[in-house]
Amino acid sequence: MIELLRSNDPVLLSFVQALLRDAGIVHLLADSHMSVLDGSIGILPRRLLVDGDEIDQARRLLTDAGLAHELSDRA
């Protein structure tokens, strides 16, 4: 799995997950339980990971949705 984006914005993460789910792109939200360590103040970002075979499609989907600036440089 490859990192598609990293954010601590739950609304953005939820929206991107909905886009990916609707497009049938396999994904995983990593680090979602790290709030236990940061006291639930949201300083530790969550990583949205996508299957390596679908990373280009996922990047195109987010670019088309106007979210290209949110994409991780790691992808």
Side-chain angles (χ1 to χ4, degrees):
M1 302 216 72
I2 299 173
E3 184 178 309
L4 179 65
L5 66 87
R6 183 180 295 222
S7 177
N8 45 358
D9 180 348
V11 175
L12 172 65
L13 291 167
S14 178
F15 178 64
V16 172
Q17 284 184 286
L19 287 175
L20 294 172
R21 190 173 25 257
D22 289 348
I25 297 174
V26 176
H27 62 281
L28 169 74
L29 182 61
D31 308 323
S32 60
H33 299 290
M34 293 300 290
S35 64
V36 171
L37 297 176
D38 71 11
S40 298
I41 59 175
I43 59 171
L44 296 175
R46 282 55 168 176
R47 295 175 296 140
L48 194 57
L49 308 174
V50 174
D51 186 69
D53 295 338
E54 297 179 309
I55 191 69
D56 292 332
Q57 180 185 359
R59 289 179 65 83
R60 267 193 313 277
L61 180 67
L62 266 60
T63 299
D64 291 347
L67 297 172
H69 63 283
E70 298 289 348
L71 291 169
S72 176
D73 292 334
R74 296 162 186 78

